[in-house]
Amino acid sequence: MTAFPYPLSMIAEVLGAKLVGTGNPHIAHLAIDSRKPLPAEDSLFVALPGERHDGHRYVPELVGRGVRAFMVRDEPGKDLMAKAAFVVVPDPLLAMQRLVAWHRASHSLPVIGITGSNGKTVVKEWLFQLLRGEERIVRSPGSWNSQVGVPLSVWNIMPSHTLGIFEAGISKPGEMERLEAIIRPTIGVFTNLGPAHGEGFDGDAAKVEAKFKLFKGCEAVVCCTDNSNVHEAVIALRRPRLCNWSRKGEAFVQVVHESVLGSSTKLLVRHDGSDLRFMLPFTDTASVDNALTCITLLLHMKRSPPWIAERLTELEPVEMRMRTMEGVHGTTIIDDSYSNDLASLNIALDHQVRVAHGRERVVVLGDIAESALDKGELYAEVAQQLARARPDLLITVGTALATQGERLPMVARHHTNTETLLENEDPRAFSGSVVLVKGARHLHLEKVVQRWQHQVHGTELVVDIEAIRHNLNHYRGLIGPGVKVMAMVKAFGYGSGAVELARLFAHERVHFLGVAYADEGIALRQQGIDTPILVMNPEPIPQETLHRFDLDAEVYDMRSFQAAIDLARNVKAGYPIHIKLDTGMHRLGFMVDELPDLLEHLKEAPVHVASILSHLAASEDPMHDAFTRDQIALFTTMATRIGSVLGYRPLWHIANSGAIKRFPEAHFDMVRLGIGLHGIGSTVEETNELLPTASLRTVVAQVKRIPAGDTVGYGRAGSANVDMRLAVLPIGYADGFPRRAGNGIGRVWIRGTEARTVGNICMDMCMVDVTSIACQAGDEAIIFDAQHPLLDYASDLDTIPYEALTAIAPRVKRVYAHS
């Protein structure tokens, strides 16, 4: 095998590419994102061109930061070639994939390749949890399963690894062949077939066929064959051994019986003529299915049933990783306290840098318990990662890190265990910082999170940041490469937290943020958000205040227009304004008959018109399509007249989430994304292409028995017609669970079973009927999540998702989940 790291000249030779410039560095790391810390001396930056970003634009900046190796499409200028070396290729993405395929071919370890519509990351992480004590595992970090994520993951294979586990996700035919050549799996896993990413395929059969391209060289394929399309795809493969599980008939693993016992599921399965019993620490169907996939794979790998049964009881939910929440003393806590390895540490440190947005950073880091590297190599790499991230304070937990003081790039405070840390560290000492808590489960660092997080009651809204990113990219895929995006973060970010969403959108380089009122924009500026912000409803407030916080004003009548002119004359010539037109919504904006007066004043106005906008009234409703087209036509006419007076063309924008897919002619120069970012499309079909982003959940505070004839709640509005069991939940109308949800209108799910409300909703609590549910205090109650959609919750309340989300009170804890 060729020695690693690879000389850049060897990489050029492997690719048949031209090497120009200065130097021949040895390459250990691949990088594609200039915003992340990276080791300058041994990184190869691959300049990926795209519709929204082009990595070539950031090459000069990276050269200035000391990076000395690049893979580019075009030969750079002499000034850059004098400072760095460049591999010149026609297609940087394809070249990176070919390079990593060559790297993978030089390692002969067994590799598990996982694909499917849903559950890929859960199955991968559970296999890691189950096998990490016996194998030295390299795996996809997070959900890195794309054309870019797969090569970056597989590049991490080293000679010391004994098993690889990698995800592969595709959205159209022809993509899987490229991923298969990189992963080269020896065992294939297909999780399930669902609607996700279905828009690029001609039906389910075509989708399964395309995904099964991953398995062409596998010795075995693990899957559930209860779906006929999956079963036929397995048969078409012919060569691999089929290791299937089924609830419908004979299989490699046949499900005989399953039952829920408290918060666990009891499984009876038949394998190789024997009945096997397993207990799973979950009750939901998706988790049971994923666990059955893991059981089937482990049996194929000759793990004994008793060994599997023992390990299954220790499985942890994957969602426990990377949760961001408010901490005490103005801190922000990033909870990643359930696992620790080099790959996830690197991701966590990068994530902390993004969340901090310039604030001080504190890392609480536990020992790494299991690694393919010896201790010296392991902590040398940990030290390198910390040196790149440069946190302001490092606090370590465990005996191994305490002995590595000379390796660490900064002075650290060491503690032998979590209890000692809690006794000696006071978070007041780092008020306002972003605190990453990172460590394996055996260290119990979750106690640090529990102690240092801002204490609120047990109701929380969990916001899936990666789902919001997915939805943003879904809409970006529908607009042209030159069309800009404004992300709306008004109304506390549609209830999901404006600051955290603004940081995400700033990282994703959206062009504008939209807020309703100046106070919202000022709060973002005070949190370090520097993306341009448009105040959509600037109620009477001094224009000087908007100017002081670098907020752009919308002008919608002659009074607001004159205020902007006065500021421009007294403070800043060329002050940017955004002209709002009323094309039929009849809310804010200049009417068509007011346009002549506006045009006359614009001729001499010392302002710069940054954009012209209007608001569509019913873009999501086909019944009003004619009206929507009339609005678009009127907007075009009015904006054209304004441009003719100005002598230049400002940005035009009128399309909201509902219009982006239905009215492409309304994209113009910019679109405004609101509810679509939160997983609600203009049609059922579009909603299925998006990902749900929020889960509202609480806990059972008490369970009690109510005799027949008793009444329940204020006004005695609820009654027990028969003996009843009630669960009391700490969520009420002050939390955003409205009074109209009472008396059986609202519902929650406890242990996978629906429970209807009983009586009136109280300010801080409500009661639900759990007569048929074997629940207890501390059990989770779900109001809405991915399996129980926000749309259904809103429908129950006879309202719209906008109101349902924005009604969730600030006192409900927001937790941000990152894969």
Side-chain angles (χ1 to χ4, degrees), residues 84-387:
F86 298 83
V87 177
V88 183
V89 295
D91 184 338
L93 174 59
L94 179 59
M96 179 175 71
Q97 292 175 336
R98 289 177 53 213
L99 171 62
V100 178
W102 170 79
H103 173 73
R104 162 69 180 100
S106 65
H107 298 81
S108 59
L109 77 168
V111 169
I112 300 168
I114 305 174
T115 192
S117 297
N118 305 103
K120 297 183 288 293
T121 300
V122 172
V123 168
K124 177 204 65 189
E125 291 299 320
W126 280 0
L127 289 173
F128 173 74
Q129 291 179 29
L130 293 162
L131 290 165
R132 61 187 169 191
E134 297 206 345
E135 303 282 356
R136 294 183 171 184
I137 299 172
V138 56
R139 72 194 195 281
S140 307
S143 299
W144 290 18
N145 55 37
S146 67
Q147 297 290 316
V148 174
V150 167
L152 292 177
S153 301
V154 174
W155 180 258
N156 292 322
I157 295 177
M158 293 291 118
S160 53
H161 291 123
T162 62
L163 178 66
I165 311 176
F166 300 107
E167 301 178 40
I170 60 172
S171 57
K172 58 186 178 182
E175 292 183 334
M176 189 62 84
E177 289 86 342
R178 293 170 70 167
L179 300 186
E180 188 279 333
I182 300 167
I183 299 172
R184 294 182 60 185
T186 55
I187 302 172
V189 173
F190 185 83
T191 55
N192 60 35
L193 177 63
H197 312 298
E199 59 273 17
F201 301 95
D202 187 18
D204 285 349
K207 188 198 301 186
V208 174
E209 180 184 2
K211 290 180 181 290
F212 265 61
K213 300 288 187 183
L214 179 63
F215 308 142
K216 74 173 188 178
C218 291
E219 67 184 36
V221 173
V222 174
C223 61
C224 174
T225 48
D226 289 345
N227 182 290
S228 60
N229 288 313
V230 175
H231 189 262
E232 290 173 8
V234 172
I235 294 172
L237 278 176
R238 292 189 176 89
R239 177 178 169 229
R241 179 187 182 193
L242 174 60
C243 300
N244 64 321
W245 66 267
S246 174
R247 290 186 174 93
K248 294 183 177 180
E250 292 186 6
F252 182 78
V253 172
Q254 180 184 353
V255 181
V256 178
H257 182 70
E258 52 190 308
S259 58
V260 174
L261 297 175
S263 58
S264 301
T265 299
K266 184 177 181 181
L267 282 180
L268 173 64
V269 304
R270 187 162 295 135
H271 167 68
D272 199 21
S274 299
D275 286 347
L276 310 177
R277 289 173 172 80
F278 301 108
M279 189 70 75
L280 308 177
F282 307 99
T283 58
D284 62 288
T285 301
S287 294
V288 172
D289 288 356
N290 290 331
L292 280 164
T293 298
C294 292
I295 291 168
T296 304
L297 177 58
L298 293 172
L299 289 170
H300 166 71
M301 296 176 70
K302 306 301 182 186
R303 292 327 194 254
S304 71
W307 182 92
I308 297 172
E310 180 182 358
R311 295 297 182 98
L312 285 172
T313 61
E314 300 173 358
L315 284 179
E316 294 289 341
V318 173
E319 67 178 10
M320 285 184 172
R321 298 195 55 236
M322 287 277 264
R323 292 155 52 97
T324 304
M325 63 197 72
E326 183 182 353
V328 296
H329 307 299
T331 59
T332 297
I333 306 294
I334 301 174
D335 177 13
D336 199 5
S337 60
Y338 292 88
S339 69
N340 198 11
D341 56 71
L342 289 174
S344 65
L345 174 60
N346 192 43
I347 291 172
L349 290 171
D350 284 348
H351 177 65
Q352 185 189 29
V353 171
R354 293 199 300 270
V355 170
H357 213 79
R359 289 183 289 167
E360 289 193 351
R361 288 172 287 122
V362 176
V363 174
V364 178
L365 180 62
D367 288 348
I368 296 179
E370 298 159 348
S371 173
L373 304 175
D374 65 43
K375 186 173 290 187
E377 293 177 296
L378 172 65
Y379 287 103
E381 177 60 30
V382 169
Q384 288 184 24
Q385 291 192 17
L386 289 168

Side-chain angles (χ1 to χ4, degrees), residues 4-8 11 25-30 41-44 69 99 155:
F4 184 90
Y6 305 125
L8 190 62
I11 290 175
H26 284 60
I27 302 302
H29 301 92
L30 299 180
E41 68 280 356
D42 59 359
S43 288
L44 173 63
L99 171 62
W155 180 258

